[in-house]
Amino acid sequence: MYTRLIGLLALAVSSTSFAQDISSAQYQTPQGELLVRTSQPAAHDYGPPPPFAQLDATHAGFITAAQADHYPPLANDFIQADRNRDGRISKAEYERWIHQH
C-alpha cells in the first residue's frame, strides 16, 4: 500500500508544473485525497562579504575554491567570479564580484 501511494505521489509531483506561487495541490487517489504542499526555504542571510584577506587565509594573493567555501555566496558564484578561469579569485576579481552583488 505504501509503495503504491509513494508511486502515485511521485507521479503526481512529476506531472505537475511547479510555479513559485503554488503552495499546495490536491489529487484524488484510489486510497483517497492526497494533499501535496510545497514551499521554498527561507533565504539565508550570510551578511556582507568578508574582506579579501579573511578569505585568503594563506596570504597567497588569491582565493581558492576551498577558501571560497567559507563564504557560501562566493562558493556558489566561484566560476563567475573567476573571470580569467585560472581556478582562483584574485583581489580584483573579488572586488568586481562584490560590486556586482
Side-chain angles (χ1 to χ4, degrees), residues 17-24 38-40:
S17 174
F18 285 98
Q20 289 184 355
D21 61 342
I22 295 177
S23 61
S24 66
T38 62
S39 66
Q40 293 291 324

Side-chain angles (χ1 to χ4, degrees), residues 3 15 31 37 41 43 51 58 62 64 75 78 80-81 83 93 97:
T3 303
S15 66
Q31 291 79 25
R37 296 176 191 255
T58 61
F62 56 84
T64 65
F78 190 86
Q80 290 77 26
R83 307 267 301 193
E93 289 171 326
W97 177 80

Side-chain angles (χ1 to χ4, degrees), residues 14-97:
S14 67
S15 66
T16 303
S17 174
F18 285 98
Q20 289 184 355
D21 61 342
I22 295 177
S23 61
S24 66
Q26 295 176 340
Y27 302 95
Q28 291 300 322
T29 70
Q31 291 79 25
E33 184 176 276
L34 172 64
L35 178 63
V36 178
R37 296 176 191 255
T38 62
S39 66
Q40 293 291 324
H44 186 81
D45 181 15
Y46 290 101
F52 179 82
Q54 184 177 337
L55 293 173
D56 176 22
T58 61
H59 308 291
F62 56 84
I63 300 168
T64 65
Q67 291 167 328
D69 286 343
H70 295 286
Y71 187 62
L74 179 60
N76 186 59
D77 290 351
F78 190 86
I79 293 172
Q80 290 77 26
D82 179 18
R83 307 267 301 193
N84 64 0
R85 305 295 189 259
D86 64 354
R88 53 192 185 183
I89 298 172
S90 68
K91 186 171 185 172
E93 289 171 326
Y94 183 67
E95 295 297 327
R96 186 179 302 118
W97 177 80

